[in-house]
Amino acid sequence: LELVVKTQPAQELYAAQVMVEEWAKAGIRVELAVMPESLFWGGWIDHPFSLTPWGHRPLAAMILSLAYRSGVPWNESSFSNEEFDNLLTQINGTVDPDERIEITGRIMEIMREVGPIAQPAFMQVSSAYNTRVKGVVMHPTQTIFFDDLAIEV
């Protein structure tokens, strides 16, 4: 098997190297196909097996709808599951938090049982600010919204 990975950011390449080493312990032979970012993204949807990062979206269902709903342009795995698609439609029309939790639970069961990805890690995001900076809210994409900040004098 060949795993396609970008050279940048470096942590993706390091993560891929660790995965290949771990798979080897289980007898799974995987070779890395390392390429510059421009080449990777030029055909990312066509790589049979790749390490593709997904950035934060305000709601998890957004990423699921972009990446795994049947027939959508960014469904690089060609995953198709009618129940999954129906649950995505349902969750996007549900405002009750408890109902959303139930639907999300079933979506995650489907992803775990028949889903097309291996989720090797979740990135921990942290930051530090001087206590005089007020209005800081840690954003998952590390975006800083300067119009919300003030300096205490």
Side-chain angles (χ1 to χ4, degrees):
L1 190 61
E2 181 179 77
L3 174 62
V4 180
V5 63
K6 307 186 308 303
T7 55
Q8 294 296 323
Q11 70 264 18
E12 289 179 21
L13 179 55
Y14 300 149
Q17 290 168 334
V18 169
M19 287 187 285
V20 166
E21 290 171 11
E22 291 300 308
W23 290 328
K25 294 176 187 175
I28 303 167
R29 294 186 322 261
V30 178
E31 292 184 26
L32 290 179
V34 181
M35 60 179 59
E37 205 171 356
S38 59
L39 285 177
F40 178 88
W41 289 121
W44 75 278
I45 200 77
D46 299 318
H47 301 309
F49 185 49
S50 66
L51 192 150
T52 307
W54 279 87
H56 173 75
R57 302 295 195 282
L59 298 173
M62 292 172 156
I63 291 177
L64 297 173
S65 292
L66 287 169
Y68 306 111
R69 183 185 288 276
S70 300
V72 295
W74 289 356
N75 185 345
E76 62 189 306
S77 65
S78 300
F79 180 65
S80 182
N81 182 290
E82 186 176 356
E83 181 185 5
F84 179 85
D85 293 344
N86 291 337
L87 288 167
L88 283 178
T89 299
Q90 187 179 348
I91 200 167
N92 286 327
T94 302
V95 294
D96 180 84
D98 292 331
E99 287 179 42
R100 289 182 66 86
I101 288 170
E102 276 189 47
I103 298 167
T104 300
R106 180 60 191 139
I107 288 172
M108 293 300 101
E109 285 175 5
I110 293 169
M111 291 298 285
R112 186 177 58 245
E113 292 169 7
V114 297
I117 66 166
Q119 179 82 37
F122 291 91
M123 185 172 74
Q124 182 175 348
V125 179
S126 61
S127 189
Y129 294 86
N130 186 297
T131 56
R132 292 181 32 220
V133 179
K134 303 300 177 193
V136 174
V137 176
M138 188 64 218
H139 191 271
T141 62
Q142 298 180 318
T143 302
I144 300 171
F145 297 99
F146 289 100
D147 56 330
D148 293 335
L149 302 181
I151 302 291
E152 183 179 82
V153 289

